Amino acid sequence: LSTLTLENHYNMSSFQNHKSINPPSITKSPECITPSAFDNTSRKQSAKTGMFNLVSTMIGGGALSLPFAISRCGLILGFTLLTLSALLSIFSFDILIAASRRTGSMTYTQIGYFAFGNKLSLFVTIMIWFNCYIASIAYCVLIGDLIKPVICYIFDINSHTDSESLRRLIIAIAIVCVSPFCYQRNIGALKYTSIISITSVTIL
């Protein structure tokens, strides 16, 4: 990993032709084997924006699913598995951050390319897509289960009458409402929605 470098622009075409070497630069990164993406001028998001987006991603549906999982496993087994999961997550973060800083990579696909080659970088991309797809399904199910009782209470609807149609309608409306945010050019545009998300989780 340490022998490979990137051109100033980070795209997949430049990965397959990494003959030009960037001049050394002063970096704030603890690992300065190649010019780090940490100091790249194309980075437009601030640290605060990244923090809110990251926290919103980490504690989203887990605020509701973790209590349920621990209630099923019991306190001892539940906290043991939770601690093990936290340790594995920290280990994974360390590897990903080190690989990103040493290669200048800015996406999982780029890290996969430098670590394993072109074929496995495609595998990494497919796995990320699959993970996001399954997570999207889980959130849709969660929205339908949470919002339906609220709608029934507000509009005085019998929850047992045509409940499945109402649940599907709620999920469809939620998808339509979320869709405009999915077409933003960068994740920094979601900083305000992330603040709302963190506030909601805090209230819960």
Side-chain angles (χ1 to χ4, degrees), residues 152-187:
C152 291
Y153 176 79
I154 294 175
F155 295 99
D156 195 19
I157 301 174
N158 187 353
S159 60
H160 300 289
T161 303
D162 203 16
S163 60
E164 187 58 31
S165 298
L166 177 60
R167 180 173 172 273
R168 292 179 180 179
L169 178 62
I170 292 171
I171 293 174
I173 293 174
I175 292 174
V176 172
C177 293
V178 170
S179 294
F181 298 99
C182 298
Y183 299 103
Q184 300 295 329
R185 288 185 175 274
N186 56 70
I187 199 170

Side-chain angles (χ1 to χ4, degrees), residues 8 15 35 57 63 67 87-88 92 96 107 109 126 153 156 162 171 188 195 197:
N8 290 330
F15 296 158
T57 302
L87 293 175
L88 292 176
S92 299
L96 289 173
T107 65
T109 303
I126 294 173
Y153 176 79
D156 195 19
D162 203 16
I171 293 174
I195 294 174
S197 174

Side-chain angles (χ1 to χ4, degrees), residues 108-129:
Y108 288 111
T109 303
Q110 294 171 6
I111 293 175
Y113 174 83
F114 279 109
F116 305 109
N118 191 36
K119 291 183 178 180
L120 281 183
S121 69
L122 178 62
F123 173 76
V124 171
T125 303
I126 294 173
M127 293 302 296
I128 293 173
W129 174 86

Side-chain angles (χ1 to χ4, degrees), residues 131-156:
N131 178 63
C132 294
Y133 178 72
I134 295 298
S136 300
I137 294 176
Y139 277 112
C140 288
V141 172
L142 184 62
I143 289 173
D145 292 340
L146 290 178
I147 302 299
K148 188 186 76 171
V150 177
I151 298 296
C152 291
Y153 176 79
I154 294 175
F155 295 99
D156 195 19

Side-chain angles (χ1 to χ4, degrees), residues 5-26:
T5 58
L6 289 175
E7 293 181 336
N8 290 330
H9 58 288
Y10 296 98
N11 52 51
M12 291 307 298
S13 61
S14 66
F15 296 158
Q16 298 175 356
N17 183 20
H18 45 270
K19 294 181 181 180
S20 63
I21 301 176
N22 287 331
S25 64
I26 299 176

